[in-house]
Amino acid sequence: MKEKKDCNIYVLPPKITDEDITALFNGIVNIVRHKLELDTKAQILNLNFTNEKLIKELKAKTNECNRLKNEIIYLKSQLGKN
């Protein structure tokens, strides 16, 4: 005798329409567009951060140059006194 077993029957979905393909394509395009926007914003933020870092470094180097210039002037005046 054969045993009766429960089984699942899967029904294939109806034929894929042009509207389905268009919706899928538009969804993919929107995802790619959003990713590009996020990447662009991240690049802008990184550029701003780098720019701020360079400005701080430039100010520090300018201060160091001014300090060295003042020290040279002081040492020249000390040589003039001798």
Side-chain angles (χ1 to χ4, degrees), residues 28-39:
I28 292 171
V29 168
N30 287 335
I31 290 171
V32 170
R33 183 180 298 136
H34 186 65
K35 177 159 180 8
L36 288 174
E37 288 173 4
L38 291 176
D39 288 347

Side-chain angles (χ1 to χ4, degrees), residues 5 11 16 19-20 26 28 32 39 41 45 47-48 50 52-53 57 61-62 64 67-69 73 80-81:
K5 293 183 181 179
V11 178
I16 296 175
E19 291 82 18
D20 295 334
N26 288 336
I28 292 171
V32 170
D39 288 347
K41 288 178 183 177
L45 289 175
L47 288 175
N48 286 340
T50 302
E52 289 174 7
K53 186 177 174 184
E57 190 171 334
K61 297 296 180 185
T62 302
E64 180 70 11
R67 186 189 68 75
L68 290 172
K69 181 175 74 175
I73 292 170
K81 289 180 182 178

Side-chain angles (χ1 to χ4, degrees), residues 64-78:
E64 180 70 11
C65 287
N66 288 334
R67 186 189 68 75
L68 290 172
K69 181 175 74 175
N70 290 336
E71 190 169 336
I72 289 170
I73 292 170
Y74 172 75
L75 291 173
K76 281 185 177 181
S77 70
Q78 292 296 317

Side-chain angles (χ1 to χ4, degrees), residues 15-28:
K15 185 177 175 183
I16 296 175
T17 64
D18 287 342
E19 291 82 18
D20 295 334
I21 293 172
T22 302
L24 180 62
F25 179 75
N26 288 336
I28 292 171

Side-chain angles (χ1 to χ4, degrees), residues 8-14:
N8 295 328
I9 298 175
Y10 295 99
V11 178
L12 291 175

